[in-house]
Each structure stands twice: as C-alpha cells, then as structure tokens.
Amino acid sequence: MSLFRKFFGASSEGSNEDKEKDSSPYLPDPVMPIDELFTYKFKKNGGKFLYCENLPEVHDNFESILEENDWFEKEAMCLEPKLYSLLDENKLNYTNPKEPKFLLASCESLIADEGSILFSSNQIKQFKPNDLPANIVILATTSQITGNKSDGLREIKKKYDKEYPTNITTFKYFEKAKEEDFLQYGSCPKNLYLLLLEDL
C-alpha cells in the first residue's frame, strides 16, 4: 500500500477523502451553538456585528459607528424613548428629523437559522422597510437570539400576552447583492450595525 502512495500520491488524496467524509452531503450538518449560527449567518448576509460585554462598551461602540460614518450632530430616527439617552449624549437630533442618517432601534428577536432581525410596531411603528433610513443601528441582547422565526413569534406571544404588536417583519439582507439574486427580489437591503450586549 505504501508503495502505491509513493507513486500515485495517495497520501494526500487520503487526507482529502477524510475531509470529504466530514463534509458529505448525506451527513447531517454539525450542530453549531445558536449564537455562533446567528453570528455566522448575519455576517454572511452583510451585517456588521459588534459584541459588547457591558453598557459602557455599547456606548463606546456606538460612538465608533458615529465616527466611522461622520454622523455626529446629524439627524437620527428613533421611535423608542428608552433609546433617546444614547442619542442625547451624542448631540443627535431625533425630534421630527427631515433627513435622518440612520435609525436607532431595538428588536424583538435575532433569528439564528437565517441571520435575520425580527421587528414589530414597537420598534418601527407602521413604517415599511423602504420608508426607513438606509442605515440602521440595532441594540439587542444575547438572550434575544432564537432558533427560527417560529421561535421568535412564540417569544412575541409570550412577551405581550394580549397586546400583540403589529407590523411584524424581518430584515435579512444588509448589503446589495453583487449579482442578481432572485431570493433578494423585492427586499430592501439596509446597511445594518448590530450592537449585541451580553446578558446571559
């Protein structure tokens, strides 16, 4: 056997065969932890991801985003009073903005299996994706990561009991497709930053 390997280079082929065995289309995909799966799919969709261990890191990373895009002292869109302080401390106007540079929002869930973000009327009121700014900054926590859309909708049901929000929608594409992709047809890609705060 070793003689054949010397002549035909079977040793390198053998290692390739081992690799192929590990990634066979007939074997189930290795199970990835839910947070890693979300991060992987989210980045693959073009999202920008900033992990934060605590609130001071959230503030620092938010300032870095403002600096990177030259958004200081510009107009922002924000529909959640709990987030106003983040805008106030950076002198951003969010009352009746005419041309907001970005939307600052939270979300309902982070959907791991497709790397998307689930919103409702609690974050975006009745606005459609096309009506929102092209840039979005999301503040979310690791406990908001769910396996799939069904899990995300279950969380909404549990959280709001009878006062269900409306306008439930997911944003999945965070950059324009380099080639025509029929899966993105009709979608409105956003330049999206996610500030993910560790809370588990």
Side-chain angles (χ1 to χ4, degrees):
M1 192 73 165
S2 61
L3 184 65
F4 283 112
R5 283 193 181 142
K6 280 183 189 171
F7 287 117
F8 300 110
S11 61
S12 63
E13 284 172 22
S15 62
N16 284 343
E17 280 175 25
D18 291 341
K19 284 178 194 165
E20 283 174 24
K21 277 181 194 167
D22 292 342
S23 64
S24 167
Y26 305 108
L27 290 173
D29 289 335
V31 179
M32 201 184 274
I34 196 168
D35 54 342
E36 284 180 33
L37 179 63
F38 171 75
T39 307
Y40 171 75
K41 296 273 185 162
F42 177 75
K43 285 180 173 176
K44 197 175 173 189
N45 291 343
K48 297 174 186 79
F49 175 85
L50 295 154
Y51 175 78
C52 309
E53 286 186 4
N54 49 46
L55 280 171
E57 275 190 27
V58 169
H59 290 258
D60 290 347
N61 284 328
F62 182 63
E63 282 182 26
S64 297
I65 292 168
L66 296 178
E67 193 173 334
E68 179 186 319
N69 293 284
D70 193 24
W71 289 340
F72 281 109
E73 298 183 25
K74 297 283 191 330
E75 289 187 318
M77 181 182 203
C78 184
L79 307 166
E80 300 169 83
K82 66 182 180 182
L83 299 176
Y84 290 169
S85 62
L86 205 52
L87 297 169
D88 287 333
E89 68 187 42
N90 289 290
K91 298 185 175 78
L92 293 158
N93 175 37
Y94 52 88
T95 49
N96 302 319
K98 301 277 182 289
E99 289 181 42
K101 293 290 178 188
F102 66 96
L103 166 71
L104 175 65
S106 64
C107 65
E108 294 296 344
S109 291
L110 305 171
I111 311 298
D113 71 343
E114 59 180 34
S116 64
I117 300 187
L118 183 67
F119 294 99
S120 78
S121 54
N122 290 325
Q123 294 87 37
I124 58 173
K125 303 294 183 212
Q126 298 308 317
F127 286 96
K128 298 284 175 260
N130 287 335
D131 302 327
L132 296 169
N135 304 296
I136 299 178
V137 180
I138 300 299
L139 177 57
T141 58
T142 50
S143 62
Q144 288 179 281
I145 300 174
T146 59
N148 53 46
K149 271 187 204 163
S150 298
D151 295 337
L153 294 171
R154 258 192 296 281
E155 287 299 314
I156 288 176
K157 261 183 135 174
K158 207 188 313 177
K159 185 176 175 184
Y160 298 106
D161 195 25
K162 292 186 180 85
E163 296 280 319
Y164 296 130
T166 56
N167 198 19
I168 295 169
T169 186
T170 55
F171 287 18
K172 183 177 176 183
Y173 299 106
F174 311 118
E175 64 183 2
K176 218 164 178 58
K178 289 163 188 69
E179 297 169 17
E180 283 301 311
D181 180 357
F182 79 95
L183 292 173
Q184 285 197 29
Y185 184 75
S187 70
C188 179
K190 300 290 182 185
N191 177 34
L192 196 139
Y193 292 87
L194 173 63
L195 295 167
L196 186 64
L197 176 63
E198 176 65 66
D199 71 338
L200 291 172

